[in-house]
């Protein structure tokens, strides 16, 4: 009398196990239409899809570190890391050979441009606004930048190598920092040859060399909020290309 009962219990246990197992199997497959969650880089359900992502936003995810698995996102063209608590970026970021746009805004613990960015040659648009940057070091900057935002940091110095990296930059935002000078480096004609827009509002500039004003493509300049910026180019200096009507004395972007 006991044997059938034992068999029935065993069969029932198998059925119950399979019933419980099926939802778990479905859960490991990420929805093709779902937006990547904040744990996308550590969630096993997303691992097979990381290499196919073209854009990824991890804005406001409360990250204190970016997982090394970001290096698996080899198709990524745009990455948004705004409003986190990052101090640096992992070396695996250099695996992203297609990355063109990177935003790292509002990460106040980030006091230096992440060194790995110098090895991300595909980057053309870089936004490092509202972080804790205190200096711009060329050894840390990507080589082919076009649009750059360094607004609202604590930048007081720009080294010679950084000015050299500005040679491809068309739009450069440096408002709301602590710069006392912006001279374009040892060869401003070469270093600023592509520059079309320059925002230096709300710094502490003491002057602006005529060689900067004479940059061949410069057509928009913002200088508001620099109370010590007085005077004119010295006698004999080249005439500025920038017209008075093109100088923005109100913007602070």
């Amino acid at each position: 009398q006991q044997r059938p009962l034992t068999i029935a219990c065993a069969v029932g246990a198998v059925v119950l196990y399979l019933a419980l197992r099926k939802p778990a199997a479905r859960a490991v497959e990420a929805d093709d239409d779902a937006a990547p969650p904040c744990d996308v880089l550590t969630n096993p359900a997303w691992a097979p899809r990381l290499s196919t992502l073209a854009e990824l936003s991890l804005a406001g995810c409360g990250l204190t570190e970016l997982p090394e698995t970001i290096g698996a996102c080899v198709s990524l063209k745009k990455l948004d890391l705004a409003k986190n608590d990052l101090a640096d970026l992992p070396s695996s970021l250099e695996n992203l050979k297609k990355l063109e746009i990177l935003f790292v805004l509002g990460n106040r613990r980030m006091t230096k441009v992440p060194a790995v960015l110098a090895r991300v040659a595909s980057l053309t648009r870089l936004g490092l606004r509202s972080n804790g940057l205190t200096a711009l070091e060329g050894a840390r900057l990507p080589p082919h930048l076009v649009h750059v935002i360094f607004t609202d940091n604590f930048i007081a110095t720009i080294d010679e190598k950084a000015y050299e990296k500005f040679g491809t930059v068309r739009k450069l935002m440096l408002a709301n920092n602590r710069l006392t000078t912006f001279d374009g480096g040892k060869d401003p004609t070469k270093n600023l040859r592509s520059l079309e827009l320059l925002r230096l509002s709300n710094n502490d500039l003491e002057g602006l060399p005529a060689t900067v004003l004479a940059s061949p493509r410069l057509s928009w300049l913002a200088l508001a909020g620099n109370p010590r910026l007085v005077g004119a180019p010295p006698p004999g200096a080249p005439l500025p290309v920038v017209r008075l009507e093109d100088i923005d004395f109100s913007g602070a972007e």
Side-chain angles (χ1 to χ4, degrees):
Q1 297 294 327
Q2 292 181 350
R3 188 175 179 181
L5 178 60
T6 302
I7 295 174
C9 289
V11 172
V14 171
V15 172
L16 179 60
Y17 169 75
L18 292 175
L20 293 174
R21 186 173 178 269
K22 288 182 179 178
R26 288 195 298 269
V28 299
E29 299 177 2
D31 187 341
D32 289 341
D33 297 324
C38 284
D39 67 346
V40 61
L41 298 176
T42 56
N43 188 332
W46 282 84
R49 293 183 54 194
L50 292 182
S51 63
T52 67
L53 295 176
E55 296 188 10
L56 177 60
S57 175
L58 295 175
C61 283
L63 298 175
T64 56
E65 292 184 356
L66 185 65
E68 287 281 354
T69 47
I70 186 66
C73 302
V74 292
S75 298
L76 211 59
K77 294 183 178 181
K78 179 180 179 181
L79 176 60
D80 187 356
L81 300 172
K83 298 179 181 179
N84 283 290
D85 191 27
L86 301 170
D88 203 354
L89 297 177
S91 59
S92 62
L93 202 72
E94 66 180 298
N95 296 337
L96 309 188
K97 307 300 184 183
K98 297 181 179 181
L99 188 64
E100 299 174 0
I101 303 171
L102 174 63
F103 294 125
V104 189
L105 318 180
N107 289 261
R108 287 299 189 187
R109 288 200 305 129
M110 186 170 287
T111 58
K112 292 185 176 183
V113 176
V116 67
L117 296 188
R119 303 191 296 276
V120 187
S122 55
L123 266 180
T124 59
R125 298 171 187 251
L126 177 62
L128 295 178
R129 179 173 181 162
S130 301
N131 294 315
L133 306 182
T134 58
L136 292 182
E137 303 169 74
R140 293 173 171 268
L141 294 177
H144 303 125
L145 290 173
V146 176
H147 296 169
V148 196
I149 304 174
F150 294 121
T151 303
D152 189 27
N153 279 279
F154 305 93
I155 299 169
T157 59
I158 303 174
D159 72 11
E160 181 62 29
K161 288 186 178 180
Y163 278 120
E164 292 173 2
K165 291 284 183 75
F166 290 165
T168 57
V169 174
R170 293 169 53 192
K171 296 182 180 180
L172 177 59
M173 284 56 155
L174 281 162
N176 297 337
N177 279 288
R178 297 180 177 178
L179 293 171
T180 58
T181 182
F182 183 91
D183 59 15
K186 295 179 180 178
D187 190 354
T189 301
K190 179 181 179 181
N191 296 340
L192 306 179
R193 64 186 181 275
S194 303
L195 196 60
E196 300 172 2
L197 180 150
L198 175 60
R199 291 188 177 274
L200 293 167
S201 301
N202 296 336
N203 279 280
D204 192 25
L205 296 176
E206 298 177 357
L208 197 63
T211 49
V212 173
L213 293 172
S215 300
R217 301 183 65 180
L218 186 60
S219 59
W220 186 266
L221 177 64
L223 293 172
N226 286 277
R228 294 199 295 162
L229 186 60
V230 294
L239 293 176
V241 173
V242 179
R243 300 172 300 172
L244 183 62
E245 55 267 34
D246 291 329
I247 300 179
D248 179 6
F249 289 99
S250 60
E253 289 293 326

